[in-house]
Amino acid sequence: MSDGSTSVELVNSLRGLIAGLAAGDRLPSSRELIQRFHVGPGTVSRAIAVLAAEGAVVTRPGSGTFVAQRARLDARVANTAWQTVALTDRTVDVRSVTDVFGTPSESTLMLDGGYLHRSLQPVRALNAALTRAGRGPDVWDRAPTAGLTGLRAAFAAFTGAGVSGSDVLVTGGGQSALSMAFRAIAGPGDPVLVESPTYPGALAAARAAGLRPVPVPLDDEGVLPDLLAEAFAMTGARLFYCQPAFHNPTGTVLAASRRAQVLDVARAAGAFVVEDDFGRHLGHAGAPPRPLLADDRDGTVVYVTSLTKPGAPSLRIGALIARGPVMERMRAIRRVDDFFVARPLQEAALELVTSPAWERHVRTLGTALGERAVALAAAVARDLPSWTVTRVPAGGLHLWARAPSSAVRIAGAARRYGVAVSAGDRYFAAEAPGDYVRLTFGATAALPDLAEAVRRLVRCQDGDAD
């Protein structure tokens, strides 16, 4: 038995002992504990330290260890059963955004996750931006509800859609923006149309807002406009969530011939289109696709984007762009939710995106991600011929592959071989039409790690077949 497990057992034993004592009672001496529990002096010292940190005991040098005043109260297990009735059935479903296999070990090769590995993040530029922002005389003042003027203007310029900074609301990342948009447009019980498959975080945000996700199929050119029209007619939905560029998880780009059709269908239904342009800075070569927002003249599109994906996980800065009453409603939700996004983070983001280092980073990142996408697709084709990669995307962070057997079983078995992949069932609002796996190529430390991860998947597949 390890010393760590022995310490845990001793802590639990001492908790039981303390439960039977009164505040101020003295615990047995270290020598007595060593003899009673057959442990070493180091184990006793560690156990006492844990209990002292919890506030269960106090130590008095030269006198001993004594039960603290609140130890008896802490020893009782709270009865919270009444909360089940008080909370009713309004649960928050996080299954689509929770790792069912637990936190991966440090040695696990990550073909899962939605953030860049640290080696791909603009860490030096981020640190420099944060330092410059910290020198500002008003950096700790309250920020405007809609966001810093300069940052709003930068987000407007990134879209290339001819919008102004006055149409922008700065948010605490893309996920916060989605939650805000869903709650502003629809109410509990309302349907929301989503591409099938789609981003699990959007499904979680919609369900947390009480909405009912309704799937609309994709093909190689994006969402099918005729089926979108049918879904609007059948459900009466007033909201369609989509990712026209570098779709997560499939990498699809909405075909130019369908862009106007999607907007026309939404307008005819009197509905909004929430356009999630998470990949605006994740194109692998050349300019990213023109957003739907650029073709919107009637306020149909509510546009979502973020700096988190191309930057770093803790760069929780995103934006909503919209016109008309829907923007006023989202600003009202911002005032109720949290008043404004922390000014130091906004100032740092503004320093980052207005520096020459940002443009260099985006170019370098695009090249690196393109190389990784090709390398991972080639490794899968070479070493896992029974798997089918649907496409090598022109942007984004993921490959979408059809597996030869249960994706959930593959994902679970892969963990045992030191590689993390994402089972595809969590990307569907309804039943999955096949066994799909999402493979991330931006979360490993270096290019060779992708080939090694695939080799581990081969060993996993071979071992599972034995």
Side-chain angles (χ1 to χ4, degrees):
M1 181 177 294
S2 69
D3 186 61
S5 62
T6 304
S7 295
V8 171
E9 290 179 1
L10 180 58
V11 168
N12 291 333
S13 297
L14 292 179
R15 287 195 185 112
L17 176 63
I18 291 168
L21 299 175
D25 285 352
R26 184 179 182 277
L27 267 65
S29 68
S30 295
R31 180 176 296 178
E32 291 173 313
L33 293 175
I34 290 169
Q35 293 174 348
R36 182 186 302 187
F37 295 101
H38 306 289
V39 294
T43 300
V44 171
S45 297
R46 283 188 289 272
I48 295 297
V50 169
L51 293 171
E54 292 176 352
V57 300
V58 292
T59 57
R60 298 170 189 163
S63 298
T65 302
F66 300 84
V67 179
Q69 287 294 326
R70 66 191 187 99
R72 184 173 293 277
L73 176 63
D74 286 348
R76 294 201 304 265
V77 177
N79 181 5
T80 59
W82 65 272
Q83 295 184 5
T84 301
V85 177
L87 292 171
T88 67
D89 60 350
R90 292 184 63 250
T91 60
V92 178
D93 187 351
V94 297
R95 288 174 295 178
S96 61
V97 291
T98 301
D99 189 339
V100 298
F101 304 108
T103 303
S105 67
E106 292 186 4
S107 61
T108 299
L109 292 177
M110 296 298 295
L111 296 187
D112 191 11
Y115 300 118
L116 297 175
H117 188 270
R118 190 179 295 109
S119 62
L120 294 173
Q121 296 169 18
V123 175
R124 292 180 62 183
L126 280 165
N127 289 339
L130 192 60
T131 299
R132 292 194 300 272
R135 298 192 186 110
D138 53 359
V139 67
W140 291 107
D141 289 352
R142 172 174 176 153
T145 298
L148 298 181
T149 299
L151 188 56
R152 294 165 69 195
F155 273 119
F158 287 150
T159 68
V163 296
S164 70
S166 62
D167 300 318
V168 178
L169 175 64
V170 175
T171 68
Q175 190 68 20
S176 173
L178 287 178
S179 178
M180 201 176 297
F182 289 159
R183 288 184 290 139
I185 297 170
D190 288 348
V192 53
L193 306 185
V194 298
E195 296 161 316
S196 184
T198 192
Y199 166 51
L203 295 176
R207 288 169 177 150
L211 310 185
R212 296 185 294 108
V214 177
V216 183
L218 299 172
D219 65 10
D220 288 342
E221 296 187 335
V223 70
L224 296 156
D226 55 340
L227 295 185
L228 179 63
E230 287 185 21
F232 272 125
M234 291 176 62
T235 64
R238 293 292 178 265
L239 172 59
F240 171 48
Y241 166 77
C242 62
Q243 303 168 86
F246 314 139
H247 175 268
N248 175 12
T250 68
T252 304
V253 173
L254 182 64
S257 60
R258 294 186 182 179
R259 295 166 55 88
Q261 294 180 64
V262 168
L263 292 179
D264 288 345
V265 166
R267 290 191 193 105
F272 289 95
V273 173
V274 173
E275 178 182 13
D276 187 349
D277 197 11
F278 75 96
R280 173 85 344 213
H281 302 288
L282 298 176
H284 298 171
R290 176 182 170 94
L292 292 179
L293 179 69
D295 299 323
D296 175 35
R297 297 293 177 265
D298 304 305
T300 298
V301 175
V302 174
Y303 178 90
V304 176
T305 192
S306 170
L307 298 177
T308 307
K309 298 298 186 187
S314 285
L315 186 61
R316 306 302 301 174
I317 293 290
L320 283 161
I321 301 179
R323 288 162 289 180
V326 69
M327 175 53 87
E328 293 308 312
R329 184 171 293 185
M330 291 189 295
R331 285 176 179 156
I333 290 175
R334 151 54 44 72
R335 292 186 183 96
V336 172
D337 278 0
D338 54 9
F339 297 114
F340 55 89
V341 175
R343 183 160 190 151
L345 194 56
Q346 289 196 60
E347 295 280 9
L350 179 58
E351 289 284 351
L352 175 68
V353 300
T354 55
S355 71
W358 176 250
E359 291 188 6
R360 290 196 298 270
H361 165 66
V362 171
R363 289 195 301 270
T364 302
L365 176 62
T367 300
L369 291 178
E371 292 174 350
R372 286 167 173 248
V374 170
L376 182 56
V380 171
R382 180 184 64 248
D383 299 332
L384 292 168
S386 60
W387 294 38
T388 303
V389 173
T390 58
R391 70 184 48 76
V392 179
L397 301 171
H398 316 291
L399 296 183
W400 188 238
R402 186 149 193 170
S405 58
S406 167
V408 174
R409 181 188 54 73
I410 289 172
R415 285 295 181 90
R416 298 193 293 273
Y417 284 80
V419 59
V421 301
S422 184
D425 60 313
R426 59 200 289 256
Y427 299 87
F428 293 90
E431 295 82 3
D435 290 304
Y436 289 93
V437 176
R438 194 191 72 170
L439 305 173
T440 301
F441 46 78
T444 58
L447 199 61
D449 291 335
L450 298 174
E452 172 58 25
V454 172
R455 285 192 289 269
R456 293 186 187 184
L457 286 176
V458 173
R459 292 197 294 272
C460 161
Q461 183 171 270
D462 293 342
D464 196 55
D466 293 339

